Amino acid sequence: MHYYPPPCLWIVIPCYNEESVLPLTAPLFLSEIESLASSGIISSDSRICLVDDGSTDCTWRIISGLVESSSQFVGVALSRNYGHQNALLCGLMEAKSNCDIAISIDCDGQDDIHAIRKMIALFEEGSEIVYGVRSARTTDTWFKRMSAEMFYRAMNKLGANVIFNHADYRLLSKKALNELSKFDERNLFLRGLIPLIGLPSSTVDYERTERIAGKSHYPLKKMLHLAADGITSLSTKPIHFISIAGILFGCIGILGLIWTFVTFILGNSVTGWTSTLSAIFMLGGLQLLSLGTIGEYVGKLYLESKKRPRYIVKERKGELGNE
Ligand code: UDP
Ligand code: MG
C-alpha cells in the first residue's frame, strides 16, 4: 500500500443533454462512492464532479438538485458546448488540486462502476494511470463494433498510439493530472495524450453495457472526426505518406514518359484517350487529398496559435471538501 490515509477520489463525469439518464445513474455513482468510503478504500471527502457541457435541456437543473441533495456532488457548468474531450479536461483540472486520484467516466451507465474498486487497488500497488479496457462489445451493434475496431487499428497505423478498446474510463493520480496539465494543446484527444505522460500504468478489463437511457452523441460522422483529430493532433505520419506517394507517382510518371517515347520511336502511337483521362483523374484526386491533409495540419496550427481557452466555466456549485 503506498497510500495512507485513504486517497481522496474525484469521479469526473461530463454530461451533455443527459436529462433522461442522469437521474438514473447519479444515485449509482453516489452509492458506489459511499460504499468505497465506508469500507475505508477512499476518504469520506471524495467527490462526484458533474461537468455540464453547455446542455440545452434540464441537465444543469438536475445537477444543481443533486448538489443540494448531497455534499458528495460538485457541479461545474461550462459557458457553452465545448465537446466531450474539453468537458472532461475541465473536470480533471477541477479535480487536480482537490483530489489524490481522479476517475473519468461517462454518465450514461455504459461503463461498469465496479471497475473503480479494481482501479484503486492497482493505484495502491503503484500505478499512476489505470486504463479501463472493454473486454466485450456484445451489446454494441455489429457495425459499431467493426468501426470501433477499425478506428483503433487505423489510429495506431497512422502514428497515434492508443490503448486498444480503451475510451475515456480511467484513473489518473494527482501526479499524472499535474503532468497532464502541462500539455497545452487545443486539439484535445486525451486517449492519445495520456499514454504520452508515460508514468507507470496498468489496465482493468470491464464489460461495456448498453446506454441506460438517452442516445449516443457519437454517430459515425463524429467518430470519423474524432479519428481525424486524434491522428492529426498526435502524428505527422500522414504528411510523410504524402511525400512517399509523391515520390512513387513521380517514378511512375518517369516510366510513363519513357514508355511514350519508346512507342513514339517505334511509330505505333495510339489515341490513348482512356489512359490519359484516368491518369488525370487519379493524379487530380491524389493532389486534392494531399492538399486537404496538409490543410488539416495548417488549420490545426492556426487554431493552436490563437491560444484560445479550451473551456470557460460559467458556474460552480458544491463544497470542495478539503478546504
Ligand atoms: N458528452 C459531452 N459533450 C458532448 C458530447 C458528449 O460532455 O459534446 C458526454 C456525454 O454526456 C457522455 C460522454 O460525453 O457522458 C460520452 O458520450 P456518449 O455516451 O454520447 O458517447 P458514446 O458512449 O456513445 O461513445
Ligand atoms: Mg456512452
Side-chain angles (χ1 to χ4, degrees):
M1 292 266 278
H2 79 204
Y3 236 96
Y4 193 78
C8 172
L9 165 71
W10 271 50
I11 299 182
V12 173
I13 310 171
C15 311
Y16 177 56
N17 289 346
E18 300 284 14
E19 61 180 6
S20 58
V21 73
L22 201 54
L24 305 174
T25 51
L28 302 178
F29 292 121
L30 183 62
S31 71
E32 184 67 15
I33 215 168
E34 280 172 350
S35 110
L36 287 168
S38 65
S39 37
I41 294 172
I42 57 170
S43 76
S44 55
D45 59 358
S46 296
R47 292 284 178 272
I48 299 164
C49 176
L50 300 164
V51 182
D52 175 26
D53 187 16
S55 300
T56 48
D57 63 0
C58 294
T59 302
W60 182 239
R61 212 169 324 138
I62 294 166
I63 294 176
S64 307
L66 289 167
V67 173
E68 270 154 37
S69 72
S70 161
S71 61
Q72 309 271 203
F73 285 107
V74 171
V76 181
L78 299 184
S79 60
R80 64 171 170 84
N81 180 240
Y82 286 88
H84 177 203
Q85 298 289 298
N86 296 58
L88 189 53
L89 182 76
C90 166
L92 293 174
M93 292 303 110
E94 293 285 315
K96 184 173 66 113
S97 42
N98 299 299
C99 72
D100 299 310
I101 45 176
I103 292 179
S104 50
I105 189 167
D106 290 353
C107 78
D108 53 16
Q110 282 192 284
D111 301 322
D112 178 17
I113 50 173
H114 299 107
I116 291 179
R117 211 172 270 265
K118 294 185 213 152
M119 287 182 173
I120 299 172
L122 286 166
F123 162 74
E124 299 281 3
E125 284 167 20
S127 294
E128 303 279 348
I129 302 168
V130 185
Y131 300 101
V133 174
R134 295 169 203 177
S135 56
R137 275 181 175 271
T138 40
T139 54
D140 282 347
T141 59
W142 176 85
F143 182 72
K144 172 102 188 173
R145 217 162 46 221
M146 277 295 291
S147 58
E149 231 152 80
M150 268 163 58
F151 170 81
Y152 289 101
R153 288 195 204 290
M155 297 286 295
N156 283 314
K157 279 262 170 340
L158 291 170
N161 290 323
V162 287
I163 311 273
F164 188 66
N165 265 347
H166 159 69
D168 285 299
Y169 186 20
R170 71 176 86 79
L171 175 147
L172 293 170
S173 69
K174 196 184 189 78
K175 186 166 180 193
L177 287 171
N178 279 324
E179 299 308 327
L180 177 65
S181 69
K182 295 179 192 160
F183 288 78
D184 198 28
E185 51 213 87
R186 266 104 271 275
N187 295 297
L188 263 191
F189 184 66
L190 290 168
R191 265 175 250 187
L193 276 189
I194 308 258
L196 296 180
I197 298 177
L199 291 169
S201 65
S202 48
T203 55
V204 162
D205 286 342
Y206 71 97
E207 255 180 57
R208 189 163 155 102
T209 47
E210 261 175 274
R211 232 176 193 278
I212 291 188
K215 61 176 193 311
S216 168
H217 301 96
Y218 277 100
L220 183 65
K221 195 171 145 216
K222 257 195 163 176
M223 279 266 287
L224 292 176
H225 267 287
L226 188 70
D229 263 357
I231 293 157
T232 50
S233 67
L234 288 161
S235 133
T236 48
K237 264 196 185 172
I239 294 188
H240 179 68
F241 288 149
I242 288 174
S243 320
I244 292 182
I247 294 169
L248 206 74
F249 277 90
C251 293
I252 295 174
I254 292 170
L255 288 178
L257 210 66
I258 295 170
W259 178 64
T260 28
F261 192 67
V262 170
T263 45
F264 175 72
I265 301 265
L266 296 177
N268 37 353
S269 21
V270 278
T271 31
W273 165 252
T274 326
S275 59
T276 314
L277 263 196
S278 42
I280 289 173
F281 281 134
M282 199 175 69
L283 286 178
L286 187 76
Q287 277 173 347
L288 282 180
L289 179 69
S290 310
L291 274 178
T293 310
I294 293 167
E296 281 283 319
Y297 284 95
V298 175
K300 292 248 151 110
L301 273 175
Y302 174 66
L303 290 177
E304 294 288 345
S305 69
K306 284 180 187 283
K307 296 227 164 292
R308 283 183 181 157
R310 290 178 283 188
Y311 54 83
I312 291 171
V313 174
K314 185 171 72 179
E315 202 179 337
R316 286 186 178 82
K317 278 195 173 162
E319 303 157 30
L320 295 183
N322 54 0
E323 284 180 334

